[in-house]
């Protein structure tokens, strides 16, 4: 998902006073252009509670308004959580970013091609392991939720017996790589990725809204998908309301906008050395340092003369979300909607950055 917004976060001006009315005007304008679509915006400049604005109905076929505290599906922004989980396991001495993963998968080495055995967690998290973008076709139909570690083993096992292609170290955005990173974490800890995310991230940080799959909370926006040119709501109870659970480490998380901004705040604070009990400054900075093609470890990173900033977007084709952090301006911004309608959301994100950073008047 990272390429869609590639030019949006490249020019930011010094922080000036922010008029809440300007933000409200932008949100209202975006909402008016798609009145049957749910929209959420949250931001924070400095510490303190984020400002949250939501609009639109839970479903385009109804009139129940989306709730400000409701969770949103965040798609591939999940990758930033998986990368942080791996960094915490590195700090605990459980894994190394640069050891061949075959070291951690003795039960599977006999079935793995040597190319796969030699891959490192750093390569998986930076999309430089040469792994295919997605597992083989047909696996998306495997929606088992029990014994999820074994399901991930079976899905990966259909791919890891074959040699890898491409130049060593070359960048290929890969959901497969993140599923494999999550599988390694499961294998070395004996816990599911889902359990680890709750134990290592959600609980210590107080992200109480974090969950897996389509959000089911009251007031949460339903996902929508297009069929024959018509946008239709997908009940969160439907089996196809999200990607299959085994894809979790690559993109099945949901959480509220306030918690999503809190996650962005964690990045700012940890990289400044303010959260050593959660993530050291060095480990955090490593995640936000480019490895290849403007990608670090779980984050798209942009280096400009005015300072660094990081972001990620994500979608399961039924929601779309963006999270961005700007250290020099102490800014976190999150935007979400309940369909894969990225162009107006990307445009809104740019307008919001203009308003929040003094980059000019809102566009007509």
């Amino acid at each position: 998902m990272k390429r869609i917004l590639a030019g949006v976060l490249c020019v930011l001006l010094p922080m000036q006073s922010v008029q809440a009315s300007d933000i409200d005007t932008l949100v209202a304008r975006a909402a008016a252009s798609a009145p049957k679509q749910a929209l959420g915006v949250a931001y924070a400049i400095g510490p303190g509670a984020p400002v949250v604005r939501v609009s639109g109905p839970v479903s385009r076929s109804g009139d129940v308004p989306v709730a400000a505290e409701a969770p949103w599906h965040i798609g591939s922004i999940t990758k930033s959580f998986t990368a942080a989980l791996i960094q915490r396991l590195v700090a605990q001495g459980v894994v190394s970013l640069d050891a061949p993963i075959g070291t951690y998968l003795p039960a599977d080495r006999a079935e793995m091609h040597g190319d796969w055995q030699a891959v490192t967690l750093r390569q998986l998290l930076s999309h430089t392991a040469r792994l295919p973008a997605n597992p083989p076709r047909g696996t998306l139909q495997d929606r088992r939720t029990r014994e999820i570690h074994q399901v991930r083993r079976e899905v990966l096992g259909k791919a890891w017996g074959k040699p890898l292609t491409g130049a060593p170290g070359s960048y290929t955005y890969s959901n497969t790589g993140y599923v494999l990173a999550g599988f390694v974490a499961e294998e070395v800890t004996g816990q599911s990725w889902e359990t680890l995310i709750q134990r290592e991230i959600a609980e210590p940080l107080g992200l109480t809204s974090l969950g897996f799959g389509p959000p089911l909370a009251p007031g949460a926006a339903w996902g929508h998908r297009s069929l024959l040119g018509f946008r239709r709501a997908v009940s969160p109870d439907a089996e196809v309301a999200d990607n299959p659970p085994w894809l979790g480490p690559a993109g099945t998380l949901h959480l509220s906008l306030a918690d999503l901004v809190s996650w962005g705040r964690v990045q700012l604070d940890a990289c400044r050395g303010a959260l050593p009990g959660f993530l050291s400054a060095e480990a955090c900075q490593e995640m936000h340092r480019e490895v290849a093609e403007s990608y670090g470890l779980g984050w798209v990173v942009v280096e400009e003369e005015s300072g660094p900033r990081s972001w990620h977007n994500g979608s399961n084709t039924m929601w779309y979300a963006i999270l961005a952090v700007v250290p020099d301006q102490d800014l976190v911004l999150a935007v979400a909607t309940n369909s894969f309608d990225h162009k107006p959301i990307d445009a809104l994100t740019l307008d919001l950055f203009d308003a929040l950073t003094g980059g000019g008047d809102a566009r007509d």
Side-chain angles (χ1 to χ4, degrees):
M1 293 302 307
K2 76 131 180 155
R3 290 298 181 190
I4 292 172
L5 201 61
V8 171
L9 305 180
C10 293
V11 180
L12 297 177
L13 300 179
M15 183 68 69
Q16 299 178 7
S17 61
V18 177
Q19 296 295 325
S21 60
D22 293 340
I23 305 302
D24 290 342
T25 297
L26 290 171
V27 174
R29 184 182 302 172
S33 67
K36 293 185 178 181
Q37 189 169 323
L39 172 67
V41 170
Y43 68 91
I45 303 171
V51 176
V52 178
R53 297 286 185 267
V54 297
S55 67
V58 164
S59 167
R60 66 180 291 112
S61 59
D63 56 7
V64 176
V66 65
E69 70 278 7
W72 298 74
H73 196 284
I74 63 168
S76 285
I77 300 173
T78 300
K79 291 179 172 66
S80 65
F81 288 78
T82 298
L85 167 63
I86 296 298
Q87 286 288 56
R88 281 180 61 80
L89 296 181
V90 169
Q92 295 165 19
V94 177
V95 294
S96 166
L97 284 179
D98 298 308
I101 63 165
T103 304
Y104 306 117
L105 305 176
D108 300 296
R109 277 202 300 262
E111 306 297 327
M112 299 177 70
H113 190 278
D115 289 351
W116 287 70
Q117 293 185 40
V119 162
T120 68
L121 285 167
R122 186 185 303 277
Q123 291 170 332
L124 294 177
L125 299 179
S126 61
H127 301 295
T128 58
R130 299 183 292 155
L131 267 62
N134 293 294
R137 293 184 64 180
T139 55
L140 290 177
Q141 306 305 314
D142 192 337
R143 296 182 175 274
R144 287 176 287 171
T145 58
R146 300 184 63 181
E147 299 182 350
I148 192 66
H149 181 62
Q150 182 58 28
V151 175
R152 290 187 177 112
R153 171 178 277 117
E154 293 175 13
V155 168
L156 292 165
K158 296 176 181 178
W160 65 27
K162 301 175 183 178
L164 298 173
T165 60
S170 60
Y171 176 91
T172 302
Y173 190 87
S174 175
N175 289 316
T176 307
Y178 268 77
V179 175
L180 181 53
F183 179 81
V184 170
E186 292 178 325
E187 193 72 1
V188 298
T189 63
Q191 301 290 324
S192 71
W193 171 82
E194 290 80 3
T195 297
L196 292 170
I197 288 292
Q198 288 286 3
R199 186 186 78 191
E200 296 292 330
I201 295 179
E203 292 175 7
L205 296 178
L207 304 178
T208 58
S209 68
L210 184 146
F212 309 90
L216 299 171
W222 291 20
H224 289 69
R225 63 170 25 144
S226 294
L227 181 63
L228 300 177
F230 296 94
R231 192 171 297 159
R232 299 180 182 276
V234 180
S235 169
D237 295 321
E239 186 180 53
V240 295
D242 193 14
N243 289 317
W246 57 258
L247 196 63
T252 66
L253 285 184
H254 67 249
L255 71 169
S256 70
L257 289 170
D259 277 353
L260 187 56
V261 169
S262 293
W263 176 239
R265 173 61 50 190
V266 165
Q267 307 306 307
L268 296 178
D269 291 344
C271 285
R272 293 167 179 159
L275 293 175
F278 177 72
L279 204 63
S280 71
E282 180 181 1
C284 181
Q285 292 165 11
E286 195 168 31
M287 293 170 59
H288 294 267
R289 186 180 304 125
E290 180 183 14
V291 176
E293 298 287 331
S294 299
Y295 205 92
L297 306 181
W299 289 91
V300 183
V301 295
V302 180
E303 293 286 348
E304 296 289 330
E305 290 185 4
S306 58
R309 66 291 317 258
S310 303
W311 64 277
H312 214 296
N313 55 3
S315 176
N316 66 350
T317 75
M318 288 168 275
W319 285 266
Y320 180 64
I322 300 169
L323 175 65
V325 297
V326 187
D328 287 356
Q329 299 178 356
D330 216 16
L331 170 65
V332 183
L333 172 65
V335 185
T337 190
N338 61 335
S339 74
F340 183 47
D341 198 6
H342 69 85
K343 290 183 179 179
I345 298 303
D346 291 347
L348 172 61
T349 301
L350 180 56
D351 282 340
L352 289 168
F353 266 106
D354 283 346
L356 289 166
T357 62
D361 295 331
R363 286 182 248 174
D364 295 331

